[in-house]
Amino acid sequence: MQITTSTHFPADFVWGTATAAYQIEGAVAEDGRAPSIWDTNCLKPGFIKNNDSGERACDHYHRYKEDVAIMRSLHLNAYRFSLSWSRILPDGEGGLNPKGVDFYDRLIDELLANGITPWVTCYHWDLPQALEDKYGGWKSKEVSKRLGDFAQRVAELYSDRVKNWITTNEIHVFTMGQPLQIVHNALLGHGHALAGLRAGAKQPLNAGFAEALWSEHPVYDTPEHIAAASRAFKYSNARITFPIFEGKYSDEYFEQYKENLPETTDEEMKVIGTPVDFAGYNIYSGSVVRAADNARGYEVIDFPASYPKNQLGWNIAPRSIYSLIKHSQDHFGDVPVYITENGMTANDKEQRNGEVLDIDRIEFLREHLAHVQRAHADGLPIKGYFHWSFMDNFEWMEGFSARFGLVRTNYRTMERTVKLSGKYYAEVIKAGRVL
């Protein structure tokens, strides 16, 4: 396969980076913010690697102007961030916290003043602890409704300046290992959030979701292996993405999960299947499949031990990003696609004269962006790319040990340093092509 590297991206291609509130903001007990479930998680001894905490994180709450200035220096035209639900609504419902509302007002205005378009995620895992205590979290469909209410309120607050909205981030991940009822309730939350955003909108919105998909790519591109990869994609993503697009659970879903089915209604499935304006896909790895003479028509080929991996042991599979965009068109039509997260964690300790020479991340970017460019050249509906992440941050259960950023964070001094990969990404954006 030959990867096209001479074709330019279109002038309106969205170039961004992404973060999440709990991972960067800090200031967890300031200005009226109440605890989220991740504040609670960080109090559990041993739950987070090295007992790290997002209490301070990257101190973005106080340093957002500095961070936006760095974004501008990287030539970004978009920035994806999430709202801390408990900073805006400390109880998850009820009265607003004016100082929390004001923080996002100031952040949005700062982005716009620097020519950067805000992309706002309503829910990125930090459920208000009050809703966990009152309803049992995502075990209850009441929380699904509360997310819809929250989405409507933030649309009323910010949609005069924010057009691009994401309902939920990675239902697959925050419901992992949970009963399918919890997955269903989270899907319902996405649907209610979509309706809430549109109900509160002050302008026509561009609203969708961000989901971590598993993308299978064919061992090589022959019709039988391509078809096998397409079948594998439908099996792997039957829990979340297919119900969002089809408003129903598929035969593949019932085949896999017949022992653990959720309670649903036709009305709930209509809510889940509310049409989206775009699909946001988070992708970090994938798998290789080939056609096989078995019930499913495919088999997964295991990666050998020598296959390239990131610092967390995730296999690096650049071809999967092209296959993901192609699968989306094949199964869901020409709905616009944005890569809402893609990146790698690396051991960024090697420095020279204060530089962070992360050439492994540059190669990761180069290979993945080449396949995104190929997808565009092939006429697939890819509209933008958000690198995860803008800066090193609190990486959930990995704490501060996993660095995904284009910008290095010194967690002692809070100094920011643009890595070589950040400079590379800036040059790619400036040139409009893979370098």
Side-chain angles (χ1 to χ4, degrees):
M1 179 190 66
Q2 183 176 358
I3 301 173
T4 302
T5 56
S6 59
T7 304
H8 281 69
F9 287 93
D12 62 354
F13 195 77
V14 174
W15 293 104
T17 58
T19 64
Y22 192 75
Q23 293 183 264
I24 67 166
E25 285 182 3
V28 297
E30 289 188 38
D31 293 339
R33 182 190 178 277
S36 76
I37 57 173
W38 273 92
D39 295 287
T40 303
N41 286 339
C42 289
L43 295 176
K44 302 173 184 176
F47 189 85
I48 309 296
K49 191 170 184 178
N50 300 320
N51 289 315
D52 290 339
S53 167
E55 182 178 7
R56 191 182 183 199
C58 304
D59 199 29
H60 175 74
Y61 187 78
H62 299 112
R63 299 169 184 262
Y64 72 93
K65 287 190 176 183
E66 175 187 354
D67 292 336
V68 172
I70 296 172
M71 293 175 201
R72 182 176 181 176
S73 76
L74 297 181
H75 307 302
L76 302 179
N77 60 37
Y79 171 51
R80 178 188 167 212
F81 63 95
S82 74
L83 303 173
S84 170
W85 190 342
S86 61
R87 193 181 294 285
I88 294 173
L89 287 176
D91 294 327
E93 54 191 351
L96 291 166
N97 172 29
K99 290 186 177 180
V101 171
D102 178 66
F103 169 69
Y104 295 109
D105 269 322
R106 288 183 282 116
L107 174 58
I108 290 165
D109 289 346
E110 188 73 15
L111 289 166
L112 293 172
N114 283 274
I116 300 168
T117 300
W119 286 62
V120 176
T121 304
C122 294
Y123 181 71
H124 198 132
W125 304 4
D126 50 349
L127 187 73
Q129 185 62 43
L131 296 184
E132 182 73 24
D133 296 340
K134 183 175 180 179
Y135 298 113
W138 291 106
K139 295 176 184 177
S140 170
K141 293 177 182 178
E142 287 300 314
V143 167
S144 310
K145 296 173 184 176
R146 297 292 83 76
L147 179 57
D149 296 340
F150 176 63
Q152 180 169 345
R153 298 186 78 172
V154 296
E156 291 167 350
L157 290 167
Y158 306 121
S159 68
D160 58 330
R161 290 154 292 157
V162 178
K163 180 180 177 65
N164 303 289
W165 294 83
I166 292 169
T167 55
T168 54
N169 183 78
E170 296 186 345
I171 292 174
H172 168 75
V173 177
F174 74 79
T175 64
M176 191 176 295
Q178 300 296 314
L180 282 182
Q181 188 65 58
I182 290 179
V183 180
H184 177 79
N185 293 350
L187 282 169
L188 197 56
H190 150 76
H192 283 311
L194 200 58
L197 287 170
R198 289 168 177 163
K202 296 181 178 179
Q203 63 170 312
L205 301 183
N206 184 42
F209 62 92
E211 189 51 57
L213 274 75
W214 200 252
S215 178
E216 292 82 359
H217 62 270
V219 62
Y220 45 84
D221 291 342
T222 59
E224 65 271 23
H225 294 318
I226 291 172
S230 181
R231 288 191 292 271
F233 178 81
K234 192 167 186 180
Y235 272 95
S236 297
N237 299 291
R239 287 195 315 160
I240 296 161
T241 311
F242 278 84
I244 288 175
F245 279 109
E246 297 180 348
K248 64 179 182 179
Y249 292 119
S250 64
D251 292 341
E252 289 81 2
Y253 176 92
F254 288 111
E255 178 185 329
Q256 294 177 77
Y257 305 114
K258 56 189 173 183
E259 304 298 329
N260 181 29
L261 296 176
E263 294 181 6
T264 69
T265 67
D266 290 344
E267 185 58 35
E268 288 174 353
M269 296 312 301
K270 288 179 183 177
V271 171
I272 290 170
T274 302
V276 296
D277 299 312
F278 68 86
Y281 297 138
N282 300 352
I283 181 164
Y284 293 89
S285 187
S287 58
V288 182
V289 300
R290 64 178 177 178
D293 186 16
N294 58 30
R296 294 187 176 179
Y298 70 88
E299 65 179 3
V300 177
I301 300 176
D302 293 336
F303 287 99
S306 60
Y307 203 86
K309 298 175 176 60
N310 72 8
Q311 187 188 11
L312 294 175
W314 304 349
N315 295 301
I316 297 173
R319 285 191 64 205
S320 288
I321 202 168
Y322 176 90
S323 292
L324 173 58
I325 302 164
K326 184 68 168 68
H327 290 322
S328 184
Q329 185 188 56
D330 289 345
H331 289 283
F332 311 131
D334 285 328
V335 60
V337 169
Y338 296 87
I339 299 300
T340 40
E341 290 183 24
N342 175 242
M344 69 171 288
T345 179
N347 188 347
D348 292 337
K349 293 181 180 178
E350 183 177 348
Q351 300 186 44
R352 184 177 64 196
N353 299 325
E355 293 184 292
V356 182
L357 305 178
D358 55 338
I359 59 173
D360 47 359
R361 186 173 286 105
I362 290 178
E363 195 62 24
F364 180 99
L365 267 165
R366 181 184 290 119
E367 291 297 315
H368 283 79
L369 288 174
H371 283 284
V372 173
Q373 193 163 289
R374 175 191 168 208
H376 168 69
D378 287 353
L380 302 183
I382 178 66
K383 304 298 181 182
Y385 174 92
F386 292 81
H387 181 270
W388 184 271
S389 175
F390 167 64
M391 65 198 305
D392 296 337
N393 54 50
F394 177 81
E395 183 51 36
W396 308 113
M397 293 179 70
E398 296 296 326
F400 296 114
S401 66
R403 293 179 177 269
F404 277 92
L406 297 172
V407 176
R408 181 178 176 85
T409 306
N410 182 317
Y411 295 117
R412 182 177 58 82
T413 66
M414 291 295 146
E415 180 183 5
R416 279 79 156 126
T417 303
V418 177
K419 302 176 187 179
L420 194 59
S421 61
K423 297 175 183 178
Y424 170 77
Y425 190 47
E427 292 295 333
V428 167
I429 296 170
K430 188 177 177 181
R433 64 182 180 89
V434 179
L435 300 174

